[in-house]
Amino acid sequence: MHPMTSADVLKLIESKGLPQSLQASVTQLFEAIHQGHTAYRLSDEDADLWAQTLAQSGLNSLFAVNHGALQTHRHSAQEFRVAAALKKRSAHPNLTITIDPEQLMPHADASQQRAIIGAASRRFAVVTGGPGTGKTTTAAAIVAAKLSLFPGQPNVSLVAPTGKAAVQLTESFQVATTKMPIAELQPVIATTIHRQLKDLRLANIVLIDEASMVSLDLFDQLLKSLDDEAHLILMGDPNQLASVEAGSILKVITESAVLTNNCFQLNQRHRIKGQEALAQLQDLCLSGDSRGFIRGLKDLEISWESGQRSDRLEMTVLEGYRPYFEELQRGTVPRSADFQCLTAISEGIGGRRFINHLVQAETQRIGLNGFGERLLVIANQPSIGVFNGDTGVVIDPYHPPNPGVRFENIDQPLLKNQLGEVESAWAISIHRSQGSEYNSVLICLPEPATSRSRFRPSRELLYTALTRAKEKVQLFATESMIDLAVSNTTRRLTCLDLFLNAP
C-alpha cells in the first residue's frame, strides 16, 4: 500500500543528515501499520523533534504528526478525508419518513423499529448487531422505507468486501424483501466493493455489508466515488476482526460521540431453535471471562480437543469433510461445503498448511484426483472478476491439464490457469472466513511452532470464528491459547477519531 518501505525511509533520513533518533519511530510506525494500526504514539520529546523535522526537512510529504501520533502522510490524509466526508453527510437535516416500520417488518423488535425509522431518515446511518439480530432484514426495510424519498425508482447498490459476503448479502436481502407486505424493491445483485467502485457515482442508496472488514484505503476510495447526495448505510458487527489492511473504520465510527445519532444497534437476538449453545458461547467470548468461557465449553458440551494430538485432529477434519467427499465420489460437486476448518496461523499442528496437506492426501487416497478441490484466490484479478479472498471449487478432475473452477459470484466457470495465485481452501484463515457462514466449523488455535512467533490470539479473532458457524462448532486449542484469546482484546491506534472530534 505504501510506495516506500521503512528501509527506504531510513536511508532517506540518513542521506538528509536528519537525527538518527527518528529512525526508531519510523521502524515502529511501519511495524504498527503491518499490525493494522494507522498511527504510532510518540513520546513528548520525539513528537517535538518530529514537528521540527517536518517543518524544516520536506519530509512532510511522507509523514505527519497528529496529537502526538506519527502517521504516514497517506494515512493521515485518508483519515482526514474520511472524517470530513462522514461529518458532512451526518450534518444533513433529517428527512421525513411517513411509513410505519411494521408495514415493512411486521415482527420488528424495538431496536429494529428504531433503526428503520432513524436510518431511513438520515443520509448516513450505521446498523450494527451480532448474529441473529436481524441486520440484513432491518437494512432491507430501511432501503424500502427510503423509496418514498425519491421521485422515481432509486438506483440501489449492495456491496460487500468479499465475493462470498456479496453472495450471502444478495440471498439474505432477497429473502427479506419477499417477506415485506408492501415493499416495492426491485431485485438487486450485490457485488464486491471493488467491482462497483467505478459505478457508485450513479447510486442513490448504497448499503455496505460486513463493514468491519473494510480498510481505511478502501473506505476512502468508496466515499470519493459516491455522489454527495447519495444515502449511505453501513452494516456489520464491530466486535469482529477489523480489516486485514490498516484501519478500524466500523469500530471508530460506532464509538464516535460525533456520530452517535447516526448509529443504531440491534440488541435482541432472535435465536433459532438448536442454536442456543452457539449464542451462549459467543456471549461468553465477548464477556472477556476466559474461565467462564472454558466452563461454558464443558457445560454446553462443545467438542473441544485441548491437547495437541495430531491423530485426533486428523480424525475430526476428515470426518467433517466426509459427506462432501461422498458426494464427489457420486459425481456431484456440492454447491458448498457444510463443514469448514478455520485456523489462526499457517504453521504447526492445526495450521493451514498442516490441514490442507492432510486433506489433499486424503482426496488422492480416495481417488478424487483434484475433483472438488476447494481453492482460495490470494491475488486480485479484476479482469476476470475474481478478487483476493474469493473461493472456488474445481469441477473437473486433474486429468486435463487445465480443469474448470466454479465461483458462486461468476456465471461461467473459469480455467484454473487463469487464476494466477491460488491455494487450497480446506483450511482457511479466520480473517479470510469473514463474511462467510458454514453449518459446522472447526476452529484451530494452534500453539506457535517456535517461541519467536509474534502470534497472539485475540477475543475478536475467536469471536469472528465462532460467529461463522450456523449449527455446530468444534475447537482444537490448548486451554492456555483459549485463555489468551478471550482475555486479549485488540484495539487499533488510528487518528480517525481525533479528526471526527475536531471542530
Side-chain angles (χ1 to χ4, degrees):
M1 297 306 296
H2 296 275
M4 298 186 74
T5 66
S6 57
D8 294 329
V9 176
L10 293 177
K11 288 179 182 178
L12 179 62
I13 289 174
E14 185 177 350
S15 70
K16 285 179 173 285
L18 298 174
Q20 291 203 356
S21 56
L22 300 180
Q23 295 188 20
S25 50
V26 169
T27 301
Q28 292 293 334
L29 172 62
F30 276 77
E31 175 61 26
I33 292 171
H34 180 71
Q35 295 176 8
H37 307 277
T38 64
Y40 171 70
R41 183 69 61 195
L42 297 168
S43 67
D44 291 343
E45 182 180 351
D46 284 344
D48 290 340
L49 180 58
W50 268 105
Q52 295 171 21
T53 302
L54 293 177
Q56 299 168 5
S57 67
L59 280 181
N60 53 6
S61 63
L62 293 176
F63 295 103
V65 174
N66 296 302
H67 296 268
L70 181 66
Q71 293 192 282
T72 63
H73 181 271
R74 176 181 177 142
H75 282 156
S76 177
Q78 287 175 327
E79 291 186 336
F80 181 84
R81 283 194 299 268
V82 167
L86 294 181
K87 288 195 287 187
K88 183 178 179 181
R89 288 182 181 279
S90 65
H92 281 283
N94 290 354
L95 303 164
T96 301
I97 299 290
T98 56
I99 195 166
D100 183 344
E102 291 192 359
Q103 292 178 286
L104 299 169
M105 197 173 169
H107 304 294
D109 62 46
S111 67
Q112 291 168 336
Q113 290 187 19
R114 284 193 299 273
I116 295 169
I117 296 169
S121 64
R122 288 167 169 81
R123 281 192 171 87
F124 171 62
V126 183
V127 179
T128 61
T133 55
K135 291 190 296 293
T136 307
T137 305
T138 305
I142 292 167
V143 173
K146 285 180 178 289
L147 296 182
S148 63
L149 300 173
F150 298 88
Q153 185 71 28
N155 185 346
V156 178
S157 289
L158 307 181
V159 293
T162 67
K164 187 74 174 179
V167 169
Q168 291 200 198
L169 176 58
T170 299
E171 295 172 353
S172 301
F173 202 84
Q174 288 178 347
V175 169
T177 54
T178 57
K179 293 180 179 179
M180 291 183 193
I182 65 167
E184 298 177 359
L185 274 174
Q186 300 298 316
V188 185
I189 303 298
T191 71
T192 61
I193 299 172
H194 286 98
R195 293 182 73 178
Q196 282 201 50
L197 269 179
K198 294 181 181 179
D199 301 321
L200 287 180
R201 177 66 61 181
L202 304 175
N204 302 113
I205 303 171
V206 177
L207 171 65
I208 306 174
D209 193 14
E210 298 290 351
S212 63
M213 298 171 62
V214 180
S215 67
L216 169 63
D217 183 71
L218 185 56
F219 195 55
D220 180 45
Q221 291 182 61
L222 183 143
L223 289 175
K224 288 192 289 187
S225 301
L226 290 183
D227 184 86
D228 289 342
E229 298 299 313
H231 292 226
L232 177 62
I233 307 163
L234 304 186
M235 181 168 69
D237 184 348
N239 292 313
Q240 289 186 21
L241 284 166
S243 59
V244 175
E245 296 177 15
S248 185
I249 295 295
L250 186 63
K251 190 83 167 176
V252 172
I253 289 174
T254 56
E255 293 179 351
S256 170
V258 175
L259 300 175
T260 297
N261 293 332
N262 299 83
C263 297
F264 303 91
Q265 182 179 11
L266 308 183
N267 51 33
Q268 184 174 334
R269 182 184 271 134
H270 301 271
R271 292 178 176 171
I272 300 172
K273 187 176 181 181
Q275 296 181 357
E276 294 85 358
L278 276 177
Q280 288 182 51
L281 205 58
Q282 293 158 11
D283 291 342
L284 286 168
C285 179
L286 289 181
S287 73
D289 178 5
S290 60
R291 295 295 94 193
F293 182 87
I294 289 169
R295 284 195 302 272
L297 287 175
K298 299 172 182 176
D299 293 344
L300 297 169
E301 298 182 346
I302 302 296
S303 175
W304 172 31
E305 170 53 45
S306 59
Q308 292 286 288
R309 290 182 53 183
S310 59
D311 59 331
R312 296 289 296 271
L313 176 62
E314 179 176 349
M315 180 179 67
T316 302
V317 171
L318 296 184
E319 279 303 305
Y321 277 117
R322 188 69 60 206
Y324 184 80
F325 294 155
E326 289 172 353
E327 279 202 61
L328 292 171
Q329 288 175 308
R330 291 193 290 267
T332 302
V333 181
R335 294 303 301 179
S336 62
D338 288 337
F339 171 83
Q340 181 65 55
C341 182
L342 308 179
T343 182
I345 55 179
S346 60
E347 304 298 335
I349 298 174
R352 289 194 309 282
R353 292 177 183 172
F354 179 93
I355 293 169
N356 281 326
H357 177 77
L358 166 68
V359 180
Q360 282 294 89
E362 178 67 6
T363 62
Q364 291 299 314
R365 188 188 71 79
I366 62 178
L368 291 176
N369 194 32
F371 180 54
E373 182 183 3
R374 302 181 62 75
L375 297 176
L376 174 72
V377 177
I378 57 176
N380 289 335
Q381 291 183 264
S383 61
I384 58 173
V386 296
F387 294 88
N388 189 354
D390 288 350
T391 55
V393 58
V394 178
I395 57 175
D396 302 310
Y398 279 176
H399 297 302
N402 197 15
V405 182
R406 185 182 70 205
F407 290 85
E408 287 183 288
N409 56 329
I410 299 176
D411 294 334
Q412 297 297 322
L414 300 172
L415 297 177
K416 189 172 184 290
N417 68 1
Q418 290 180 274
L419 299 177
E421 295 183 72
V422 295
E423 61 184 38
S424 290
W426 304 113
I428 61 174
S429 71
I430 296 170
H431 272 96
R432 297 275 193 187
S433 73
Q434 283 183 273
S436 302
E437 287 184 325
Y438 311 93
N439 286 341
S440 177
V441 163
L442 169 63
I443 301 170
C444 294
L445 298 179
E447 294 280 352
T450 69
S451 59
R452 292 174 295 176
S453 172
R454 293 184 298 178
F455 169 66
R456 295 293 181 273
S458 69
R459 190 181 310 162
E460 292 83 359
L461 185 79
L462 180 55
Y463 174 76
T464 298
L466 291 170
T467 55
R468 299 311 92 203
K470 292 192 288 186
E471 295 178 7
K472 179 182 178 183
V473 68
Q474 302 174 82
L475 268 77
F476 178 84
T478 62
E479 188 167 321
S480 63
M481 291 301 283
I482 291 176
D483 183 54
L484 271 174
V486 178
S487 305
N488 175 34
T489 185
T490 302
R491 188 165 191 86
R492 290 185 171 181
L493 180 62
T494 80
C495 290
L496 178 58
D497 55 335
L498 300 173
F499 291 129
L500 283 170
N501 290 320

